[in-house]
Amino acid sequence: MLRVFNTLSRTKEEFQPVTPGKVGMYLCGPTVYKPSHIGHMVGPVIFDAIKRYMTYSGYEVTWVVNITDVDDKLIAESNARGIPMSAVADEMTQDYKNNLAAMGVDTINVFPKATDYIQQIVDFTADLIAKGYAYESEGDVYYDVEKFPEYGKLSNRTLDQMSGEGGGTAERKHSPFDFALWKSAKPGEPSWDSPWGKGRPGWHIECSVMSCCLLGETFDVHGGGLDLQFPHHENEIAQSEARNGKPMAKYWMHNGLMQASNEVGKVGGRKTREAQESGAKEGDLASQEAGKISKSKGASAFRDLLKKFQPENIRFFLLSSHYRRPIDYSEERLQEVGKGLEGFYRYFKRFESVTGQSFYSLESAKTRLEGDDYEKSEALDVYPEFAKHIRELRARFLEAMDDDFNTAGGLGVFFDYLRAVNKFIEETQLETKQDPTAQNALTVATTIFRELALTLGLFRAPVEEDASANDALVEPLMTLLIDLRRAAKKNKDFATADEIRNRLKELGVTLEDRPGGVCVWTRE
RNA sequence: GGCGUCGUAGCCAAAUGGCUAAGGCAACGGAUUGCAAAUCCGUCAUUUACCGGUUCGAGUCCGGUCGACGCCUCCA
């Protein structure tokens, strides 16, 4: 039984979709005006794992991630670069999608763009005016927050609490908290026709409209970063529920934000504003503090990070803490996680050398029910203790994931799993003995591991080797060196054997002598 | 100022109020090895920032103190 933390109730709830067996999931995607940074990958990777796990659990999931391609920031960027807004949007959308593809986030069903829904946005806005929840003012259309009594229910605040806050010029608005559904166009700005004159959509309306068009008036999961809880998601609720008269989403899920420990300054929050107002005397200090990574300042482009780290390394890192917690970004942390990952890769090679099968080609169960069946395999029962252990590990993993997608707990189980299978190889001496019975048991155990790893989108395919590092000569040269070294060892000429190994190590190549006179090499 | 989150070992990080507080990284022993590497075995939190309370029982619930952070303004 899946349990999900719902921001609306601030508790974990049993997951029961609106329509049995089907799940509609909407994640707020980016405003495409700058290249994405690592913070933009947090949500997609987490919800990718959530979708995979839900699918594995037997749900048919439709996942929508929107692209907001019309916005003040896009207009500013377009002006700054002297190219059309649509060109900026196309370029950054491509960057975003490239990054998702690199990260293996390929489970998103629809990427709707706001500009493809202008007519629906106009209709939606007109509905809100007709129902008395919005009003026109000098070509703009505003949502009248006073008319929606539940305003603030998601972020747990009331209009009274906020009074004295909020701001900007309120001349055109009834209340400073009213927000724009439609903005009139200034000369030269991209615009569309509407009953209120030429203009463009406000920020929040596109999500209400596209989620409704694609997933229905009430869908199951609405996700996004914690920073979107207010005002974005609050406003989406106000718009959608006022228009449709029913709950917008059953479960609201918010992921914690990526924090940068020092390289990116603190950019949000009251301190900065105060610092600015008081002559920035705290500014320098504040910029040294930890703070969330923001695209409005300095975070390096994700595509550059991909040059330094394997996508799987980044994915493993993102899944190594619970999704609702903030996660600190640092290259050291990424490297540390990478060391842990290597143990898995080594095991996959070991598995292949012992059974002759590639881990990546194992056909594992696609659903939990299939897996329940598969784990009963008699090949495993030949080794009762091992069988019991493997089944316990699988149960522990599923238990962790059922409890609000505890990927960190699940990854912990993976390391126990790794030890179990390595130990099994030692105990059965599979590296030096032919033992089909033990090989079968190991294959079953490893296939179950693959089944679980795939629910997180991990270990789907071999990590790409750096093509430039391996030209056709490397393989035969390594074979030559290893043969020479073997001959030296046979003659007890360990000095030569060690020199070969040491000098290769200096070149970044590690030799490992395995039982049976086998020598394996790996490079960094 | 309002609302909220968090504080678990040297670092990272799990844990429906209930058995010995997972796991990773680092470190240190041992097995194995010609020596290594890898792997396995073992050590590494009498205790969850601090103080008090509720309870048969608290990392977990309540109150307070200290500290870190988020939102209230563009954000994933």
Side-chain angles (χ1 to χ4, degrees), chain A residues 425-463:
Chain A
I425 292 177
E426 306 265 302
E427 285 175 352
T428 54
Q429 297 176 288
L430 266 179
E431 281 184 310
T432 48
K433 282 188 192 163
Q434 276 293 330
D435 182 345
T437 310
Q439 279 182 18
N440 285 341
L442 184 69
T443 300
V444 170
T446 305
T447 304
I448 293 172
F449 176 74
R450 180 159 169 79
E451 165 196 339
L452 303 180
L454 289 179
T455 69
L456 298 181
L458 284 170
F459 309 132
R460 293 168 66 196
V463 169

Side-chain angles (χ1 to χ4, degrees), chain A residues 181-250:
Chain A
L181 301 174
W182 188 261
K183 293 180 168 185
S184 58
K186 297 191 189 81
E189 286 183 347
S191 65
W192 290 263
D193 288 326
S194 82
W196 319 287
K198 286 192 174 293
R200 62 190 141 88
W203 173 30
H204 316 291
I205 189 73
E206 83 281 21
C207 285
S208 281
V209 170
M210 295 190 289
S211 64
C212 184
C213 288
L214 293 163
L215 297 171
E217 295 183 346
T218 299
F219 53 93
D220 301 292
V221 178
H222 191 129
L226 202 55
D227 53 345
L228 294 182
Q229 196 181 97
F230 187 92
H232 186 56
H233 290 164
E234 198 69 70
N235 292 351
E236 283 185 46
I237 288 177
Q239 292 162 344
S240 293
E241 301 193 356
R243 177 187 183 252
N244 299 329
K246 53 184 74 162
M248 181 184 186
K250 201 166 173 190

Side-chain angles (χ1 to χ4, degrees), chain A residues 314-470:
Chain A
I314 300 171
R315 178 179 278 257
F316 204 88
F317 165 66
L318 293 177
L319 296 176
S320 70
S321 68
H322 190 269
Y323 77 88
R324 279 190 283 119
R325 284 180 63 117
I327 181 166
D328 283 332
Y329 168 80
S330 78
E331 295 201 355
E332 291 70 31
R333 190 67 51 228
L334 234 21
Q335 274 160 1
E336 194 178 298
V337 163
K339 283 179 189 164
L341 257 184
E342 277 174 32
F344 294 95
Y345 298 139
R346 273 195 295 267
Y347 172 69
F348 300 153
K349 284 187 181 163
R350 198 176 191 196
F351 173 75
E352 183 160 359
S353 74
V354 159
T355 66
Q357 300 170 89
S358 160
F359 171 79
Y360 298 101
S361 63
L362 292 176
E363 281 294 327
S364 59
K366 296 289 178 284
T367 66
R368 185 165 181 165
L369 285 176
E370 266 180 54
D372 288 347
D373 215 34
Y374 184 79
E375 89 171 354
K376 294 182 184 128
S377 162
E378 289 168 15
L380 211 52
D381 281 321
V382 179
Y383 305 88
E385 278 196 29
F386 182 57
K388 181 162 172 268
H389 194 191
I390 290 300
R391 286 167 188 150
E392 276 170 5
L393 290 169
R394 179 171 181 268
R396 272 175 55 202
F397 176 82
L398 297 177
E399 198 181 332
M401 286 299 286
D402 279 348
D403 185 11
D404 196 28
F405 309 102
N406 185 355
T407 56
L411 253 31
V413 176
F414 282 4
F415 284 98
D416 287 337
Y417 213 108
L418 188 60
R419 190 177 305 118
V421 284
N422 270 320
K423 189 173 179 176
F424 183 77
I425 292 177
E426 306 265 302
E427 285 175 352
T428 54
Q429 297 176 288
L430 266 179
E431 281 184 310
T432 48
K433 282 188 192 163
Q434 276 293 330
D435 182 345
T437 310
Q439 279 182 18
N440 285 341
L442 184 69
T443 300
V444 170
T446 305
T447 304
I448 293 172
F449 176 74
R450 180 159 169 79
E451 165 196 339
L452 303 180
L454 289 179
T455 69
L456 298 181
L458 284 170
F459 309 132
R460 293 168 66 196
V463 169
E464 271 180 48
E465 307 247 338
D466 185 353
S468 64
N470 272 340

Side-chain angles (χ1 to χ4, degrees), chain A residues 4 90 204:
Chain A
V4 173
D90 288 349
H204 316 291

